[in-house]
Amino acid sequence: MSEWESELGAKGGLAEIELSRRFEELTADVISHTAFGSSYKEGKQVFLAQRELQFLAFSTFLTVQILGYSYLLTMKNFKTWSLDKKVRGMLMDIIKTRHANKDVVGYGNDLLGLLLEACAPEHGESHPQLSMDEIIDECKTFFFAGHDTTSHLLTWTMFLLSTHPDWQEKLREDIAMECGDEVPTGDMLNKLKMVNMFLLETLRLYSPVLLIRRKVGTDIELGGIKMPEGALLTIPIATIHRDKEVWGEDADEFRLERFENGVTRAAKHPDALLSFSSGPRSCIGQNFAMIEAKAVIAMILQRFSFTLSPKYVHAPTDVITLRPKYGLPMILKSLKL
């Protein structure tokens, strides 16, 4: 917020800012602090390397794979191996430092510290519950899942707020009533019903995760179709979210009122909104992501009004998660100057 206010102050209270990259940096900072706490700076380096890996992985996903090709000494494979080694090495260094200091300061009260403490063999077991490789994989997962999806949720929310100025003003009034000019507390955020509804409708229209996959655990019949054990099912979230049979004839339209009575009553099926999946394997970070998004949107609306830049090109693109291909340039106006 202070960076944006400085930029606007230097330009007479009005400036164009590319938001999608700023949100990536912000959510990376948040998950770095939450997951790695005192090891925040090292965690940020993990983020930068893992983001490169994400783009490499997706570019491979789109090409026809020849058996054994991933083992050949190509430039792309070499870059992938070296980045993966770098990520694992950095995470290993952070974990080793925690182990070395555990008798003095403990494992730490961040997410990594809680994970290491829960897996420590002191809890009655002779061996740790998770191996070092498994702990590293957990770190990579919550680091990627904890920042990338929230960053794009913020980006698409700002896009929809800029294209629906009436709702931008209504949300600003809602925030002013509950928070005034204060930094929102947890209690204040829980009362921002309209902001929550806006985020849910954004998730429906621009879900950061476009599809999820599930492996069939045992032979089962679903909707009259027999599924053998081991079959891989793809659940097309983006298609379901705009299905008129599920959401009604206005499924392609932005209409946050559909969430007025909660998520389970918004459509003809209680589990129609699948941005965080559903059931026992639903996203463990759902509340974390929604609180983070509410806090950021509330603080932006307290300080700025904004309109979409004429430079914006609407081209949602899928690189594992849904993002604007050419970024989100936005014209921000300070409400404080």
Side-chain angles (χ1 to χ4, degrees), residues 126-199:
S126 55
H127 300 289
Q129 290 184 8
L130 293 179
S131 68
M132 185 65 80
D133 279 346
E134 286 171 325
I135 291 171
I136 287 170
D137 287 339
E138 290 292 333
C139 288
K140 289 166 72 176
T141 300
F142 64 63
F143 204 91
F144 169 72
H147 99 270
D148 201 62
T149 47
T150 312
S151 139
H152 301 315
L153 168 58
L154 289 169
T155 296
W156 293 118
T157 301
M158 288 294 285
F159 165 72
L160 287 170
L161 281 167
S162 69
T163 54
H164 296 82
D166 52 334
W167 281 111
Q168 184 183 146
E169 197 50 48
K170 285 176 186 176
L171 262 63
R172 190 174 287 113
E173 289 168 8
D174 187 32
I175 292 159
M177 189 182 298
E178 297 296 345
C179 311
D181 289 328
E182 296 177 46
V183 174
T185 64
D187 287 340
M188 290 174 184
L189 292 173
N190 286 335
K191 294 175 184 175
L192 298 177
K193 184 181 177 183
M194 205 178 293
V195 175
N196 192 60
M197 287 161 60
F198 200 101
L199 289 168

Side-chain angles (χ1 to χ4, degrees), residues 25-275:
E25 291 170 2
L26 169 67
T27 56
D29 280 354
V30 170
I31 197 64
S32 295
H33 281 292
T34 310
F36 297 108
S38 58
S39 317
Y40 154 72
K41 286 182 180 175
E42 297 95 321
K44 192 75 181 287
Q45 293 305 308
V46 174
F47 154 70
L48 294 171
Q50 194 154 309
R51 187 166 64 180
E52 274 192 81
L53 268 174
Q54 175 188 352
F55 280 88
L56 279 169
F58 193 75
S59 66
T60 305
F61 178 72
L62 292 175
T63 56
V64 176
Q65 294 299 300
I66 300 165
L67 189 63
Y69 182 79
S70 60
Y71 298 100
L72 298 178
L73 285 170
T74 63
M75 286 294 290
K76 185 181 282 186
N77 285 346
F78 186 76
K79 184 84 181 285
T80 301
W81 297 335
S82 103
L83 278 170
D84 187 55
K85 186 178 179 181
K86 182 180 178 183
V87 168
R88 298 184 80 80
M90 287 188 291
L91 288 171
M92 183 80 80
D93 288 344
I94 295 172
I95 291 166
K96 281 180 177 175
T97 304
R98 296 291 179 93
H99 277 301
N101 297 329
K102 70 176 174 35
D103 294 331
V104 181
V105 293
Y107 288 112
N109 63 352
D110 49 34
L111 196 51
L112 176 60
L114 295 171
L115 184 64
L116 290 173
E117 190 173 349
C119 295
E122 297 100 82
H123 287 253
E125 303 95 9
S126 55
H127 300 289
Q129 290 184 8
L130 293 179
S131 68
M132 185 65 80
D133 279 346
E134 286 171 325
I135 291 171
I136 287 170
D137 287 339
E138 290 292 333
C139 288
K140 289 166 72 176
T141 300
F142 64 63
F143 204 91
F144 169 72
H147 99 270
D148 201 62
T149 47
T150 312
S151 139
H152 301 315
L153 168 58
L154 289 169
T155 296
W156 293 118
T157 301
M158 288 294 285
F159 165 72
L160 287 170
L161 281 167
S162 69
T163 54
H164 296 82
D166 52 334
W167 281 111
Q168 184 183 146
E169 197 50 48
K170 285 176 186 176
L171 262 63
R172 190 174 287 113
E173 289 168 8
D174 187 32
I175 292 159
M177 189 182 298
E178 297 296 345
C179 311
D181 289 328
E182 296 177 46
V183 174
T185 64
D187 287 340
M188 290 174 184
L189 292 173
N190 286 335
K191 294 175 184 175
L192 298 177
K193 184 181 177 183
M194 205 178 293
V195 175
N196 192 60
M197 287 161 60
F198 200 101
L199 289 168
L200 292 172
E201 182 68 341
T202 303
L203 284 168
R204 186 184 73 82
L205 289 171
Y206 293 97
S207 179
V209 179
L210 295 176
L211 59 86
I212 50 176
R213 285 180 172 158
R214 292 288 181 263
K215 186 182 279 189
V216 177
T218 184
D219 292 354
I220 192 171
E221 188 172 310
L222 294 173
I225 301 169
K226 290 181 180 179
M227 305 285 179
E229 180 184 344
L232 194 64
L233 304 183
T234 297
I235 302 161
I237 294 172
T239 307
I240 293 167
H241 280 187
R242 289 177 183 254
D243 189 334
K244 292 181 180 178
E245 286 185 22
V246 178
W247 294 94
E249 288 303 311
D250 60 357
D252 289 326
E253 298 169 24
F254 176 86
R255 202 174 70 80
L256 62 79
E257 300 93 330
R258 68 179 87 242
F259 289 103
E260 199 164 6
N261 297 313
V263 174
T264 56
R265 295 184 181 180
K268 293 174 184 175
H269 192 285
D271 294 319
L273 190 74
L274 288 166
S275 298

